[in-house]
Amino acid sequence: MAVLNETLSTDASQIASAIPEMGEIITIVLILVGAYLIVKIADFLLRRISESAGRYRITVTMVIPLLKIIVYVSAVYFIILTIFDPGLPELALFSGLFGAAIGFGLKDIFADIIGGIVIAFERPYQIGDKIEVSGTYGEVTDIGLRATRVVTPDDSVVSIPNYAIFQEATASQNAGKTEMMVTIDIFIDPRSDADLAMDILKDALITSKYVYISSTRPYTVLMQDFPFYRRIRARGYVNDLRSEFEFRSEVTRRAWGELIRQGISPPPPGHVVPNKMEE
């Protein structure tokens, strides 16, 4: 009985030592507030700097998620030092409580945090990239510890859990570059002059104010015949991926204006063209 009482007394002493005092609580709050302010200020400054960095805009913004992880992990480390002496018994007690917390409901949060770390270091996508994941397409505006925020073309903000990186295929349209390939399709009557239509679409593409052409960023214009229409496809790089839809709209509008003037018409009525073409 004496041994049992001694054991219970020791456990109670360990638990009591794990409960922070008022001074420690104030220190923890200050650490959390400080970490939050550091992240917010650094995020604001880096985004301002990235806007003036030209082609290095995305390279600058990729520092943001790394900074968040470093700051928040450092904050957790200092909080642990505040509550515990870094001895083996306290470390074992903390590990047990942490493991129990994960088992009882924090496993999804833990998976999100691990996913955030993987995204920060492996960089399958970065802030500023155009990505498609879980059926959502848009621009990455923030990579947090738990979720990635994506702004869709209709200006909706979608939060995608970071653990989706382990379960879903993720496509990055620009792979960290500011320029991005855009595919523009035009469908014309199968009896139309295909060579003339290709020249018109090419001219509209290469004279666009949004286009970016270089030896490593070429453009192509191709034609393919289908039973009831011809597809004229242009592929070119937009100089800033944020102008993707303006680029597509401008080239399409100018090309159709000239096609109509040259007597080239759309496919006959009653024949539906696909919304998304095969490669």
Side-chain angles (χ1 to χ4, degrees), residues 30 33 55-56 111 145 154 189 205 215 253 261 271 274 279:
L30 291 176
V33 172
R55 293 177 53 80
Y56 299 98
L145 285 181
D154 61 357
D189 190 300
L205 179 80
S215 58
R253 175 180 57 78
R261 277 192 289 272
H271 300 293
E279 295 300 320

Side-chain angles (χ1 to χ4, degrees), residues 52 55 105 121 123 176 181 193-194 199 204 257 279:
S52 59
R55 293 177 53 80
F121 285 95
R123 298 199 298 273
M181 173 176 280
D193 185 340
D199 288 340
E279 295 300 320

